[in-house]
């Protein structure tokens, strides 16, 4: 009896699923061996670490103030589960894994049971697919508590000391890690335009990130920006028309205007009442033709880059870039209104490619639309799912796409996993977040307290509220799911990926400027998004599990009784992931 292993990757993570045909007597879990060759050619072989010890070792599940978290290799603290995401793999790394059962022998020593180990998995290289049209990028919002804990440990700082002494260099290091490849990929497109002297066209809901503002400003009159007034809330008794004169992007607008960027002083001032919610970019080539489009969920703000779970999608297709460029011009011409011709144009799908099953093709949609035709197109894709639906959603509402997905979650044989974030205090208040986890037939609510690092000289100082380290890890370590992405039948011959700014809600369809793209037939894109979604799902599912049990987690069970029920409970999931 050997362990069967499958490995899936995107540009920043590796996701492992493994299984066995029957429980193994005496098994305390699994060790995960990894061979890694980094982008510089340095080769290492080690075992992935675990931060959870055995219950009888009296190891705290959470470290306390002034005490570092204990970490041991998985040969000593094995994983009592059948899946794991390796967040320590990075873009450019080539990785291979082997999963080995760990048993306790008659003398009480832990031993690797080599006869039941998996083979080494085929080598996979993390990064966007070479030659592919669609290249996804992700940030690292949902692992920020782990990163911050390690960061403080390395510097020997308490939270109070960190808050008092945070430096510019600290801020840059934290920002670089949390923003991941997403920030780098976006900046790269602006730098290409700068180097080539070419033009860019951007439609932006939020623009407050200093680095991105500086990169846009450096393009001068080569940059053309439709910039909204953000998300404005009218004061009590204040007419909406009066509130609409306010501008949350005032500072960035002034900076761009001073740099001769083509941006209008009162462009797409729709809020309150509607949101000009796009965050897309078109870069032109040296001949003045559209070269690439960039879309996704990421607002051009520090929170969007670092403290929310977001994605960006680079589309290297002149045809699709032209679709987004045409929309940019419609928005510029519309100013702060929704003329009939704009809404009519939005109501027509923009297909690219021959609609042959298995071929890579796409459909672009914009809103606002009439009669929710865009949502109907989304619902039609969800209804076609035969194997599984994976998703991340933000503020989808009760009657948007989420209701369709949720209804299908109860169907036997259909694998459905996802995370939904909502803001109970409204769009402008991210101090509290309600999270729903969809897990087959069950919907599991989870309430999270969020600390948003913004509005201070060093934005990440707000992570260091004067609370205990345990509170920091359990409360501050949660990021808002801000991605809007659906993956349907990712391992079929014709997978579907949907991503963009659209919240999959009625208001996004009927009120706002939004966009999304439906990509069919791109297996590598579907795998990349599936890895990202399940990483987020597993992060929050663990916390929901602790809430369900109402009992403290005291560590790994020091017997083999954990295995049979877990293997049975996860059988359908393991089959979906190929083991």
């Amino acid at each position: 009896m050997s362990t069967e292993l499958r490995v899936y990757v995107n540009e920043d993570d590796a996701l492992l699923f493994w299984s066995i045909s029957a429980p193994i007597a005496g098994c305390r879990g699994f060790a995960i061996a990894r061979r890694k060759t980094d982008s510089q050619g340095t080769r290492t072989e080690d075992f992935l670490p675990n931060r959870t010890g055995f219950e009888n070792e009296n190891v705290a599940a959470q470290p306390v103030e002034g005490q570092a978290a204990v970490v041991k290799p998985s040969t000593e603290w094995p994983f009592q589960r059948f899946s794991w995401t390796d967040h320590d793999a990075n873009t450019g790394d080539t990785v291979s894994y082997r999963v080995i059962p760990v048993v306790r022998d008659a003398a009480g020593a832990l031993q690797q049971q080599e006869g039941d180990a998996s083979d080494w998995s085929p080598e996979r290289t993390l990064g966007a697919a070479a030659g592919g049209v669609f290249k996804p990028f992700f940030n690292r919002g949902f692992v920020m508590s782990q990163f911050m804990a390690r960061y403080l440990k390395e510097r020997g700082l308490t939270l109070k000391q960190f808050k008092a002494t945070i430096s510019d260099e600290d801020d840059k290091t934290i920002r670089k890690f949390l923003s991941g490849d997403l920030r780098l990929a976006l900046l790269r497109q602006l730098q290409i335009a700068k180097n080539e002297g070419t033009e860019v066209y951007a439609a932006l809901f939020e623009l407050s990130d200093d680095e991105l503002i500086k990169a846009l400003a450096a393009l001068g009159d080569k940059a053309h920006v439709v910039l909204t007034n953000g998300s404005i809330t009218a004061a009590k008794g204040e007419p909406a028309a009066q509130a609409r004169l306010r501008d949350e992007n005032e500072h960035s607008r002034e900076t761009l205007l001073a740099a001769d960027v083509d941006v209008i002083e009162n462009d797409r001032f729709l809020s309150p009442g509607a949101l000009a919610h796009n965050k897309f970019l078109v870069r032109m080539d040296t001949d003045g033709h559209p070269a690439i489009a960039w879309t996704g969920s990421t607002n051009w703000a520090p929170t969007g880059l670092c403290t929310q779970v977001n994605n960006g999608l680079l589309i290297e297709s002149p045809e699709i870039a032209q679709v987004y460029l045409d929309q940019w011009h419609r928005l510029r011409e519309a100013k702060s209104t929704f003329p009939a011709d704009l809404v009519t144009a939005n109501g027509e799908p923009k297909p690219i490619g021959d609609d042959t099953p298995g071929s890579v093709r796409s459909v672009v949609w914009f809103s606002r639309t009439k009669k929710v035709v865009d949502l109907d197109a989304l619902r039609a894709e969800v209804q076609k799912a035969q194997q599984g639906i994976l998703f991340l959603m933000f503020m989808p509402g009760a009657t948007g796409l989420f209701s369709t997905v949720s209804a299908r979650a109860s169907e036997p044989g259909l694998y459905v996993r996802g995370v939904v974030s909502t803001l109970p205090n409204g769009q402008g208040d991210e101090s509290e977040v309600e999270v729903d986890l969809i897990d087959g037939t069950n919907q599991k609510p989870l309430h999270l307290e969020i600390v948003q690092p913004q509005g201070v000289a060093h934005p990440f100082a707000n992570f260091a509220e004067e609370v205990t380290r345990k509170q920091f890890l359990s409360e501050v370590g949660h990021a808002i799911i801000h991605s809007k992405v659906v993956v349907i039948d990712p391992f079929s011959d014709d997978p579907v990926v949907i991503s963009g700014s659209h919240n999959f809600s009625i208001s996004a369809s009927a009120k706002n400027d939004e966009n999304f793209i439906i990509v069919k037939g791109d297996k590598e894109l579907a795998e990349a998004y599936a890895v990202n979604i399940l990483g987020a799902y597993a992060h929050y599912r663990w916390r929901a599990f602790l809430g369900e049990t109402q009992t403290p987690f005291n560590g790994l069970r020091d017997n083999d009784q954990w295995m049979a029920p877990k293997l049975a409970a996860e059988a359908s999931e393991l089959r979906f992931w190929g083991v």
Side-chain angles (χ1 to χ4, degrees):
M1 173 178 52
S2 62
T3 304
E4 184 180 3
L5 170 66
R6 291 291 299 271
V7 177
Y8 303 91
V9 301
N10 60 21
E11 48 87 31
D12 195 45
D13 289 325
L15 171 64
L16 287 69
F17 269 91
W18 63 92
S19 187
I20 53 177
S21 57
I24 299 172
C27 185
R28 270 32 177 198
F30 297 89
I32 302 176
R34 178 184 63 187
R35 291 172 175 167
K36 181 173 74 171
T37 303
D38 66 20
S39 57
Q40 305 303 312
T42 303
R43 184 177 176 85
T44 57
E45 184 172 327
D46 57 7
F47 285 92
L48 296 188
N50 196 354
R51 290 172 172 77
T52 301
F54 285 101
E55 54 191 355
N56 57 7
E57 292 179 315
N58 196 29
V59 177
Q62 296 278 14
V64 297
E65 181 71 30
Q67 295 182 8
V70 180
V71 178
K72 290 188 178 182
S74 49
T75 51
E76 298 180 44
W77 285 353
F79 296 101
Q80 288 186 351
R81 54 190 301 162
F82 294 95
S83 65
W84 190 253
T85 299
D86 182 9
H87 295 301
D88 191 44
N90 298 303
T91 299
D93 290 347
T94 297
V95 292
S96 175
Y97 300 87
R98 187 168 179 252
V99 175
I100 310 164
V102 176
V103 300
R104 197 176 288 283
D105 64 18
L110 291 175
Q111 301 287 340
Q112 298 170 47
Q113 192 153 302
E114 290 284 347
D116 289 328
S118 74
D119 295 330
W120 283 100
S121 65
E123 289 188 341
R124 299 292 306 273
T125 300
L126 279 67
V133 169
F134 300 97
K135 294 179 168 61
F137 297 91
F138 308 99
N139 65 353
R140 295 168 171 154
F142 58 81
V143 295
M144 64 180 168
S145 62
Q146 296 96 316
F147 172 76
M148 287 298 298
R150 295 178 211 174
Y151 192 81
L152 294 175
K153 173 188 171 184
E154 290 169 359
R155 284 152 183 78
L157 295 174
T158 66
L159 292 171
K160 186 174 182 179
Q161 290 169 335
F162 175 73
K163 185 176 183 179
T165 63
I166 185 172
S167 67
D168 288 337
E169 196 57 40
D170 288 323
D171 217 43
K172 290 176 183 177
T173 301
I174 298 167
R175 169 185 170 85
K176 180 179 179 181
F177 174 83
L178 293 178
S179 61
D181 289 332
L182 191 156
R183 165 181 149 270
L184 296 176
L186 184 51
L187 286 168
R188 189 177 301 120
Q189 293 306 312
L190 297 175
Q191 187 61 48
I192 290 172
K194 175 67 174 175
N195 293 344
E196 295 182 346
T198 54
E199 296 179 294
V200 300
Y201 294 80
L204 303 177
F205 169 64
E206 187 176 356
L207 179 60
S208 60
D209 186 81
D210 288 342
E211 189 175 23
L212 291 176
I213 294 170
K214 182 178 179 181
L216 270 177
L219 300 178
D221 62 5
K222 298 287 187 180
H224 311 273
V225 183
V226 170
L227 183 60
T228 176
N229 66 333
S231 179
I232 302 295
T233 301
K236 186 176 181 180
E238 181 184 23
Q242 182 65 34
R244 208 167 287 133
L245 299 177
R246 294 202 294 276
D247 183 9
E248 289 187 337
N249 292 313
E250 180 179 7
H251 167 70
S252 56
R253 195 183 306 270
E254 289 177 351
T255 301
L256 297 184
L257 286 168
D260 294 326
V261 170
D262 173 25
V263 62
I264 298 175
E265 292 184 8
N266 56 354
D267 210 4
R268 296 306 280 171
F269 277 35
L270 302 179
S271 181
L275 299 177
H277 198 237
N278 285 308
K279 22 263 184 183
F280 71 75
L281 173 78
V282 176
R283 178 176 60 77
M284 310 297 279
D285 64 20
T286 53
D287 293 325
H289 301 135
I292 67 95
W294 170 280
T295 186
S297 64
T298 308
N299 285 316
W300 292 33
T303 51
L305 291 171
C306 300
T307 66
Q308 299 169 341
V309 175
N310 275 311
N311 75 92
L313 181 60
L314 175 63
I315 307 170
E316 295 180 337
S317 162
E319 294 84 0
I320 297 175
Q322 183 67 60
V323 170
Y324 280 92
L325 180 62
D326 292 343
Q327 184 68 7
W328 187 93
H329 285 293
R330 292 189 195 100
L331 296 174
R332 169 57 67 86
E333 292 167 6
K335 299 182 179 178
S336 295
T337 67
F338 281 97
D341 59 345
L342 172 63
V343 178
T344 298
N346 289 346
E348 295 294 329
K350 285 81 176 169
I352 303 293
D354 179 23
D355 194 20
T356 302
S359 66
V360 178
R361 70 270 191 214
S362 62
V363 181
V364 180
W365 282 88
F366 300 104
S367 65
R368 79 175 53 169
T369 65
K370 293 181 180 178
K371 299 181 180 180
V372 296
V373 293
D374 52 339
L375 275 177
D376 286 345
L378 292 170
R379 293 186 180 112
E381 296 299 334
V382 168
Q383 294 293 6
K384 295 175 189 174
Q386 298 180 7
Q387 300 170 5
I389 304 168
L390 304 171
F391 66 91
L392 300 176
M393 295 186 188
F394 176 71
M395 300 286 282
T399 56
L401 185 64
F402 177 62
S403 62
T404 308
V405 173
S406 185
R408 295 218 61 190
S410 61
E411 295 180 20
L414 189 69
Y415 178 84
V416 181
R417 296 290 186 273
V419 188
V420 179
S421 284
T422 57
L423 305 177
N425 297 328
Q427 181 82 33
D429 186 350
E430 298 180 351
S431 61
E432 294 184 2
V433 177
E434 296 288 348
V435 173
D436 287 321
L437 296 144
I438 300 300
D439 182 353
T441 60
N442 300 313
Q443 184 169 325
K444 307 178 188 304
L446 178 65
H447 180 80
L448 304 179
E449 299 289 339
I450 304 295
V451 176
Q452 286 285 22
Q454 57 184 350
V456 292
H458 295 292
F460 294 100
N462 266 10
F463 277 0
E465 293 296 318
E466 293 182 26
V467 294
T468 68
R469 189 183 182 95
K470 181 177 179 180
Q471 287 174 314
F472 171 81
L473 289 172
S474 63
E475 296 175 11
V476 183
H478 301 294
I480 294 172
I481 295 289
H482 192 256
S483 272
K484 313 94 170 41
V485 60
V486 179
V487 180
I488 299 168
D489 296 344
F491 308 122
S492 70
D493 291 334
D494 200 32
V496 177
V497 174
I498 305 164
S499 185
S501 70
H502 201 294
N503 282 342
F504 308 139
S505 64
I506 294 292
S507 60
S509 173
K511 292 184 177 181
N512 298 346
D513 288 345
E514 305 281 6
N515 75 88
F516 64 84
I517 185 169
I518 303 173
V519 181
K520 299 182 180 182
D522 192 325
K523 295 180 181 180
E524 291 188 351
L525 182 70
E527 177 181 339
Y529 273 106
V531 170
N532 178 253
I533 292 169
L534 204 76
Y537 171 82
H539 178 80
Y540 294 103
R541 178 65 184 87
W542 170 247
R543 285 147 183 81
F545 168 77
L546 294 180
E548 290 163 10
T549 61
Q550 299 299 313
T551 57
F553 176 72
N554 294 317
L556 304 173
R557 296 175 65 180
D558 201 1
N559 55 54
D560 59 11
Q561 301 306 300
W562 66 275
M563 180 174 281
K566 194 168 187 66
L567 193 61
E570 297 183 2
S572 61
E573 178 164 54
L574 297 176
R575 283 195 298 271
F576 178 80
W577 290 94
V579 293

